[in-house]
């Protein structure tokens, strides 16, 4: 065996075996090591350890690739790479190879495991959930009909408020009860009208936080009631229950409107609802990526956005430019926004008085958290709202469910 300095201890048995082999066999072993590196894998209570001794596997990425490690399932805790030259004199034939010892300790990716659990819960709910039968009331419909718009904006599901600090308690159980009470109140009023369609905007900070760190989309920390997985799954179930109640009145168009607290999570919720109602002809879900959504019903055009990004004064122009044909074909134009948690209305008028645009900021049922209490934002009426639209005559009723 040739003289080499600082050979790793783990290489000595391999080199001894090569030295004892016949020349042709030893060269074939070296060739195989180059072309077909092998990985030693060991399991322990902390995860998985990988070790490669090869001239081909030189980096961590190559080790993970050869070992076929699923990077979604595992993360690297630590790794080492060592390099040296091995020279052998095999029956007068000199062989020199660069060898690399690459090792890595892997641990299961907790985020991936949690997402797997959420997916399993969703599939389990698919099989076990019994939806409310769709039985629309039998009433004489008018020729023009009505559309019911149900707005439960900024619920901030998952938020935790303590009465001793903010003046009221608020958690996921309270939020769920307020949500159901609002839906029940809206449904009880809607049965007196000939509703042939329901629009249900979902999102608009339905969730209080956006990720496992319990922060908003822009990483502002939030006081949360539950672990993020339970918040998401319980929130999804709550929305499904609400949709199924509304389905008893008329077909439901769900429109996902992403908020500044739950921009990503709202999209995931929309995707789940799309899968949930995939076989339901009376429920549609608009989960398109655009932050601004539009609903046309007869002579009515309604714009939906959260309200934290656009300049309010430019919203009417945005509607007219983004939906030129719909704007021209309609008489009544409104924007419905959340975000500010209070009631505010702006009337914007074009030269043609027939085509004004009303901008409304919806109220919220959410409790007052520590930050809003500190700033003195405590006087807003907590409320959910619904609008009844006539195909030809525009807005004919505006109802409130107030706490």
């Amino acid at each position: 065996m040739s003289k080499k300095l600082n050979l790793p201890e783990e290489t000595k048995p391999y080199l001894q075996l090569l030295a004892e082999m016949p020349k042709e066999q030893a060269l074939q072993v070296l060739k195989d090591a180059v072309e077909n590196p092998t990985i030693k894998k060991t399991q322990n209570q902390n995860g998985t350890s990988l070790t490669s001794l090869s001239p081909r596997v030189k980096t961590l990425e190559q080790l993970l690739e050869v070992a076929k490690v699923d990077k979604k399932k595992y993360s690297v805790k630590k790794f080492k790479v060592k390099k040296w030259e091995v020279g052998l004199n095999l029956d007068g034939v000199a062989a020199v190879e660069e060898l690399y010892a690459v090792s890595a300790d892997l641990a299961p990716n907790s985020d991936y495991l949690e997402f797997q659990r959420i997916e399993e819960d969703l599939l389990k709910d698919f099989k076990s959930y019994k939806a409310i039968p769709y039985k629309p009331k039998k009433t004489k419909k008018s020729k023009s009909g009505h559309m019911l718009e149900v707005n439960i904006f900024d619920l901030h599901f998952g938020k935790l408020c303590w009465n001793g600090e903010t003046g009221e308690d608020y958690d996921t159980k309270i939020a769920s009860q307020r949500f159901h009470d609002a839906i029940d109140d809206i449904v009880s009023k809607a049965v007196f009208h000939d509703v042939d369609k329901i629009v249900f905007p979902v999102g608009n900070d339905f969730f209080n936080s956006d990720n496992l760190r319990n922060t908003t989309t822009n990483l502002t920390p939030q006081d949360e009631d539950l672990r993020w997985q339970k918040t998401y799954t319980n929130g999804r179930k709550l929305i499904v229950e609400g949709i199924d109640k509304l389905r008893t009145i008329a077909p439901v168009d769900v429109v996902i409107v992403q908020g500044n607290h739950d921009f990503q999570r709202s999209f995931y919720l929309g995707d789940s609802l799309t899968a949930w109602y995939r076989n339901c002809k009376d429920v549609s879900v608009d989960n398109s990526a655009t932050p601004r959504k539009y609903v046309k019903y007869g002579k009515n055009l309604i714009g939906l956005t959260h309200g934290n990004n656009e300049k309010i004064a430019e919203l009417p122009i945005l509607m007219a430019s983004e939906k030129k044909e719909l704007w021209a074909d309609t008489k009544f134009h409104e924007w419905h926004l959340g975000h500010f948690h209070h009631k505010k209305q702006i009337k914007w008028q074009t030269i043609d008085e027939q085509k004004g645009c009303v901008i409304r900021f919806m109220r919220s049922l959410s409790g007052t958290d520590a930050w809003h209490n500190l700033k003195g934002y405590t006087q807003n009426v907590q409320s959910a709202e619904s609008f009844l639209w006539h195909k030809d005559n525009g807005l004919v009723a505006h109802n409130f469910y107030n706490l």
Side-chain angles (χ1 to χ4, degrees):
M1 186 177 297
S2 64
K3 58 176 182 178
K4 290 293 166 188
L5 300 176
N6 299 322
L7 291 176
E9 192 66 30
E10 61 265 27
T11 67
K12 293 181 180 179
Y14 296 98
L15 301 179
Q16 183 64 36
L17 287 173
L18 287 171
E20 295 172 356
M21 291 179 184
K23 176 185 67 175
E24 292 183 357
Q25 182 181 359
L27 291 174
Q28 184 62 46
V29 168
L30 286 174
K31 180 180 179 182
D32 289 343
V34 173
E35 296 179 353
N36 303 297
T38 57
I39 306 296
K40 182 181 179 182
K41 182 183 295 187
T42 57
Q43 302 284 346
N44 55 58
Q45 61 181 3
N46 297 320
T48 303
S49 294
L50 302 175
T51 303
S52 168
L53 182 65
S54 167
R56 175 181 167 187
V57 177
K58 305 176 182 180
T59 65
L60 172 64
E61 287 299 320
Q62 291 173 338
L63 175 68
L64 299 179
E65 180 180 354
V66 173
K68 298 181 179 179
V69 174
D70 189 336
K71 296 179 183 178
K72 293 180 180 178
K73 295 183 179 180
Y74 297 96
S75 57
V76 178
K77 294 169 58 180
K78 62 180 181 179
F79 72 96
K80 293 189 298 184
V81 178
K82 294 182 179 179
K83 171 189 172 183
W84 69 96
E85 288 185 348
V86 175
L88 297 177
N89 189 338
L90 303 172
D91 295 338
V93 178
V96 179
E97 289 288 347
E98 284 187 342
L99 287 184
Y100 290 80
V102 184
S103 61
D105 292 338
L106 309 179
N109 189 328
S110 58
D111 291 350
Y112 177 84
L113 295 177
E114 293 298 349
F115 279 119
Q116 266 195 327
R117 191 183 70 79
I118 289 176
E119 182 179 12
E120 291 170 359
D121 288 345
L122 179 61
L123 293 175
K124 188 185 300 182
D125 287 344
F126 277 154
K127 296 177 181 179
S128 63
Y129 185 77
K130 295 182 179 180
I132 300 172
Y134 172 49
K135 295 180 180 179
K137 64 186 183 68
K138 295 181 179 179
T139 58
K140 185 178 180 180
K141 301 290 184 180
S142 66
K143 293 182 179 180
S144 56
H146 293 87
M147 180 183 75
L148 178 68
E149 178 189 352
V150 179
N151 291 336
I152 303 179
F153 281 22
D154 291 280
L155 188 67
H156 288 270
F157 188 81
K159 178 193 289 188
L160 180 64
C161 305
W162 172 49
N163 179 63
E165 181 181 22
T166 68
E168 66 171 320
D169 292 321
Y170 189 75
D171 54 25
T172 52
K173 291 182 179 179
I174 295 173
S176 297
Q177 188 61 55
R178 292 183 182 183
F179 178 89
H180 276 298
D181 289 346
I183 290 286
D184 292 342
D185 182 78
I186 290 169
V187 168
S188 69
K189 294 172 181 175
V191 296
F192 296 104
H193 303 280
D194 52 334
V195 175
D196 55 34
K197 177 180 179 179
I198 295 175
V199 169
F200 186 29
V202 170
N204 272 309
D205 288 349
F206 172 77
F207 290 110
N208 188 51
S209 63
D210 206 25
N211 52 53
L212 59 88
R213 296 174 181 83
N214 291 332
T215 73
T216 66
T217 308
N218 289 328
L219 305 182
T220 303
Q222 300 296 303
D223 297 322
E224 289 290 301
D225 178 34
L226 302 173
R227 293 288 294 166
W228 68 272
Q229 304 94 331
K230 292 188 69 175
T231 299
Y232 180 80
T233 54
N234 290 353
R236 170 177 50 77
K237 291 177 183 178
L238 183 62
I239 289 294
V240 167
E241 291 166 356
I243 292 171
D244 285 346
K245 285 183 176 182
L246 295 175
R247 292 170 69 195
T248 63
I249 304 298
V252 181
D253 290 350
V254 179
V255 183
I256 303 298
V257 183
Q258 294 158 289
N260 64 305
H261 275 243
D262 63 352
F263 193 87
Q264 290 178 308
R265 193 171 284 183
S266 287
F267 182 82
Y268 304 150
L269 176 61
D271 193 56
S272 294
L273 294 176
T274 300
W276 189 277
Y277 291 105
R278 65 195 182 281
N279 295 323
C280 300
K281 295 182 179 179
D282 60 315
V283 178
S284 68
V285 180
D286 180 359
N287 193 35
S288 54
T290 175
R292 291 179 295 281
K293 306 290 187 359
Y294 295 93
V295 176
K296 181 182 182 296
Y297 181 75
K299 292 297 181 180
N300 308 286
L301 181 59
I302 302 159
L304 299 166
T305 190
H306 190 52
N308 60 303
N309 289 315
E310 300 88 354
K311 293 181 179 179
I312 303 305
E314 294 180 359
L315 284 173
I317 301 300
L318 273 173
M319 177 182 284
S321 60
E322 290 183 339
K323 298 296 177 181
K324 295 181 180 66
E325 293 183 2
L326 297 183
W327 176 277
D329 192 44
T330 51
K331 179 179 180 181
F332 306 100
H333 312 105
E334 292 206 6
W335 277 101
H336 291 177
L337 290 68
H339 185 57
F340 296 102
H341 298 197
H342 62 268
K343 185 67 180 173
K344 186 177 181 181
Q345 178 174 311
I346 301 173
K347 183 74 177 289
W348 184 86
Q349 196 75 32
T350 64
I351 296 175
D352 184 353
E353 293 184 359
Q354 294 291 319
K355 295 186 177 179
C357 186
V358 175
I359 301 172
R360 302 180 192 267
F361 296 83
M362 302 296 109
R363 291 172 177 166
S364 166
L365 288 173
S366 176
T368 303
D369 59 27
W371 184 85
H372 284 86
N373 184 65
L374 179 66
K375 296 296 183 180
Y377 303 143
T378 60
Q379 305 304 313
N380 300 328
V381 176
Q382 292 160 308
S383 178
E385 303 180 47
S386 66
F387 299 82
L388 190 68
W389 298 92
H390 187 277
K391 276 190 175 180
D392 299 320
N393 300 329
L395 181 63
V396 295
H398 183 187
N399 293 317
F400 297 86
Y401 168 74
N402 299 319
L403 294 181

